[in-house]
Amino acid sequence: MDTSNMSILLENSSVRGMNVSTSHFPAAIKPLNLFIACFVSVSFLVGTTVNGLFLWVLGVKMKRTINTLWFLHLILIHLISSSYMPFFVAYILLGSHWAFGKALCKVLNFSSSLGMFTTVFLLTIVSLDRYLLTCHPIWSQHNRTISRAQKLITGTWLVSFALSAPYLFFRETQETTEGKIQCVNNYALSNNWEAVEMQAFRNHIHLVFFVVRVLLAFVIPLFIIAGCYYSIGWKMKKKKLTRTGKPFKVLTAAVASFFICWFPYHLSQASLVFQASEQMVKFLQLMSIIGVCLNFCFTPVLYLFVGEKFQQVFKTSVLALLQKGFADASIIPEGNINPSEEVHHCVS
């Protein structure tokens, strides 16, 4: 794989060869593996329940607006990514043995990558949308339509699909000397991909895909989103606005959660590419597993609590809280919009 959820666990042997546990299969479940399996199981239950509820509210109970459209697809990605966690729980409990065949190995790996790319691209688009709403409200009023938003979302899915498609070819299953089946990346696309003469080529392809992934799924979106927030903050300071509404806080929580939760994953992949110590690799993989689960399964819970008093959350319906959080409104009050200043009042 190269992205998302527990696929990280499946990638241990794709760079360092097939040096897996020497214990006989089936192996006794180690305490750390049991903890990870329990954590992923809880993440699955929370993720499917919360994301499923939010998806129903956004899709059925709320009026369709551009903002609800963004988050409808974001929550859909979270739900899909949460739904296949039981496969990885089984993988862990079976002692790193993949029992579900090559086809599912490829599909889940592809889906994981698709989830990561689509999530970060959507968050970047939503941040740009919020920037335009705030800094160019007149332009947004005339050009911001649901049909254009739908086209952007369709384009996002297609681009993410294209970036994830190579992993349908790279992912393979391979039997180890211990009789286990591993689901790993065959970057050499060769039947003899463990041969010494293929190592340099395989590592080179792995490095290329790692750089592309970290740039497109982390670094570049981070700079774009940071620029949007800087411009919004500058505008708010200029207008002497010290308070922001719940929609902006929900977006901030979503963005912050993504980059905080996915940072250990990219560090983990870097540790594999650049041959870090075994202890460092294992630690970063554990952090990346926890981070990805938190992002897909627990972040949506923040949407209820952000911008609200803790006690008030339990006195308000989920529908009312989501309506406040996903309201399609500019951060700048309408009374503060001056059409003649629009081309000057934002930082480029």
Side-chain angles (χ1 to χ4, degrees):
M1 112 143 207
D2 281 328
T3 36
S4 217
N5 293 30
M6 303 307 310
S7 303
I8 300 157
L9 285 175
L10 306 178
E11 200 161 325
N12 286 359
S13 55
S14 64
V15 178
R16 295 171 178 262
M18 299 306 298
N19 296 324
V20 296
S21 173
T22 57
S23 59
H24 295 288
F25 176 76
I29 302 174
K30 297 179 181 179
L32 180 59
N33 287 349
L34 183 61
F35 164 77
I36 295 172
C38 291
F39 180 79
V40 177
S41 298
V42 172
S43 299
F44 164 73
L45 294 174
V46 173
T48 52
T49 302
V50 173
N51 288 306
L53 175 62
F54 283 15
L55 191 66
W56 176 73
V57 171
L58 283 166
V60 177
K61 291 295 184 179
M62 291 184 64
K63 179 182 177 181
R64 186 59 51 85
T65 66
I66 293 175
N67 213 41
T68 59
L69 194 61
W70 302 137
F71 280 93
L72 181 69
H73 284 264
L74 192 62
I75 293 296
L76 175 62
I77 297 164
H78 288 177
L79 179 61
I80 294 172
S81 299
S82 301
S83 65
Y84 50 71
M85 286 184 175
F87 291 102
F88 300 107
V89 174
Y91 172 83
I92 298 166
L93 295 180
L94 288 173
S96 300
H97 171 71
W98 184 255
F100 305 105
K102 180 186 291 188
L104 203 54
C105 166
K106 290 177 177 288
V107 169
L108 293 185
N109 180 56
F110 164 79
S111 299
S112 298
S113 179
L114 183 69
M116 185 188 70
F117 279 116
T118 310
T119 299
V120 70
F121 291 161
L122 275 179
L123 288 174
T124 305
I125 290 172
V126 178
S127 299
L128 287 167
D129 178 56
R130 190 60 54 180
Y131 160 78
L132 292 171
L133 265 177
T134 303
C135 294
H136 303 282
I138 304 301
W139 183 92
S140 296
Q141 184 178 358
H142 292 91
N143 296 277
R144 189 174 179 266
T145 64
I146 290 182
S147 62
R148 289 181 178 177
Q150 290 173 332
K151 291 177 182 178
L152 274 175
I153 290 172
T154 301
T156 297
W157 281 99
L158 291 176
V159 171
S160 299
F161 186 96
L163 290 171
S164 304
Y167 298 103
L168 288 171
F169 301 98
F170 288 143
R171 209 64 175 180
E172 298 285 350
T173 54
Q174 185 179 49
E175 185 174 356
T176 70
T177 55
E178 289 79 26
K180 295 180 181 180
I181 301 297
Q182 295 286 304
C183 179
V184 292
N185 283 328
N186 176 8
Y187 287 108
L189 292 177
S190 168
N191 293 330
N192 192 29
W193 51 297
E194 287 298 324
V196 175
E197 58 269 21
M198 297 300 297
Q199 293 295 322
F201 176 72
R202 188 181 67 176
N203 292 338
H204 176 72
I205 298 300
H206 188 189
L207 176 62
V208 170
F209 274 85
F210 165 74
V211 171
V212 170
R213 183 174 56 228
V214 77
L215 285 177
L216 295 182
F218 196 85
V219 176
I220 294 176
L222 178 61
F223 276 99
I224 293 174
I225 292 172
C228 291
Y229 273 65
Y230 176 79
S231 298
I232 292 171
W234 182 87
K235 175 63 184 296
M236 290 171 60
K237 182 178 180 181
K238 180 179 179 180
K239 292 292 184 178
K240 298 182 180 179
L241 297 174
T242 57
R243 299 182 63 184
T244 59
K246 187 178 174 82
F248 181 70
K249 293 178 181 178
V250 166
L251 174 58
T252 303
V255 170
S257 172
F258 179 88
F259 286 104
I260 291 172
C261 291
W262 280 93
F263 183 60
Y265 168 77
H266 292 290
L267 285 181
S268 172
Q269 296 307 300
S271 70
L272 289 171
V273 172
F274 298 108
Q275 303 288 312
S277 67
E278 195 69 26
Q279 293 80 5
M280 179 61 68
V281 170
K282 290 181 178 179
F283 173 75
L284 289 175
Q285 286 175 340
L286 176 60
M287 292 299 100
S288 62
I289 291 166
I290 294 173
V292 171
C293 288
L294 287 174
N295 180 245
F296 282 133
C297 302
F298 295 96
T299 295
V301 179
L302 294 177
Y303 301 163
L304 299 179
F305 290 89
V306 67
E308 302 284 347
K309 293 183 179 179
F310 185 79
Q311 304 91 326
Q312 189 65 30
V313 172
F314 299 97
K315 299 178 183 179
T316 310
S317 68
V318 173
L319 175 59
L321 289 170
L322 291 182
Q323 284 176 333
K324 289 177 63 178
F326 301 135
D328 204 3
S330 175
I331 297 169
I332 307 301
E334 291 184 4
N336 288 351
I337 296 175
N338 185 346
S340 64
E341 296 180 355
E342 181 170 334
V343 295
H344 303 292
H345 65 212
C346 278
V347 176
S348 58

